[in-house]
Amino acid sequence: MGVEDGAAWPGSEDPPADLLAVLPRITQLSAAFTKGRIAERATEAAGLTLDRPALGVLVTLRTAGKPLRIGEIADRLQVVGPHVTRQVQVLEKRGLVHRVADPHDRRASLIEPTEAGTEAANRYVTSLLGWFGDALADWPQQDRDDLTRLLARLADDVTARLARLDEDGEG
């Protein structure tokens, strides 16, 4: 069994140095995001009083560019449907999203941001991206492009790996 099988490193062999070097950096980023309260600061700067899960739903809808079913939102956020349903209800009460008929299935409804919801999501995203833009301001464009490409690849590969573990009942 190898690393790809989820097994421990065989015998007394050390893991490859390049992989070992990644772990403290992931921990460092996680701690910086948490300690720095980046999401909370962006929420405050945007003048919003929403918690992170509600903002996640709102931003997901905004970036989708089209109305989504509850299940689609849940899939994109990698959470269960009832969690999204609760968040949508909160956002509906605040006038930030509303339901529209699904043109392909009259029994179903889609969720889309209202004008106020789109504006709120835009303020949040602008604040968040402004922070990251400042952090990366001195980076050459090629490095920024590489970061985007590699983070997307890492996120996709980690997500796919976790999905396989869940399917196999190993999660």
Side-chain angles (χ1 to χ4, degrees), residues 83-97:
H83 174 75
V84 172
T85 299
R86 286 190 297 277
Q87 297 307 320
V88 165
Q89 290 168 346
V90 167
L91 293 167
E92 279 179 311
K93 288 178 185 171
R94 299 199 50 191
L96 299 173
V97 301

Side-chain angles (χ1 to χ4, degrees), residues 28-89:
Q28 179 185 4
L29 276 174
S30 178
F33 289 164
T34 301
K35 184 178 180 185
R37 300 179 44 251
I38 293 171
E40 293 84 354
R41 288 175 194 240
T43 302
E44 291 166 11
L48 300 173
T49 56
L50 294 172
D51 62 13
R52 192 177 296 182
L55 265 171
V57 170
L58 195 58
V59 169
T60 297
L61 288 167
R62 175 62 184 99
T63 57
K66 64 179 184 176
L68 299 174
R69 287 182 177 208
I70 295 282
E72 291 173 302
I73 299 168
D75 287 345
R76 290 175 186 220
L77 291 172
Q78 298 183 349
V79 298
V80 295
H83 174 75
V84 172
T85 299
R86 286 190 297 277
Q87 297 307 320
V88 165
Q89 290 168 346

Side-chain angles (χ1 to χ4, degrees), residues 76-156:
R76 290 175 186 220
L77 291 172
Q78 298 183 349
V79 298
V80 295
H83 174 75
V84 172
T85 299
R86 286 190 297 277
Q87 297 307 320
V88 165
Q89 290 168 346
V90 167
L91 293 167
E92 279 179 311
K93 288 178 185 171
R94 299 199 50 191
L96 299 173
V97 301
H98 63 148
R99 294 174 192 266
V100 294
D102 184 337
H104 304 293
D105 183 352
R106 292 180 187 247
R107 298 168 296 159
S109 63
L110 302 172
I111 311 300
E112 74 177 355
T114 62
E115 185 175 327
T118 298
E119 290 171 7
N122 287 343
R123 287 194 315 270
Y124 175 76
V125 168
T126 298
S127 176
L128 196 59
L129 292 180
W131 189 92
F132 280 105
D134 289 347
L136 302 175
D138 296 332
W139 287 35
Q141 188 61 50
Q142 184 61 52
D143 287 353
R144 293 169 68 136
D145 293 344
D146 289 345
L147 175 67
T148 300
R149 178 180 54 78
L150 292 170
L151 277 177
R153 183 176 176 186
L154 177 62
D156 290 347

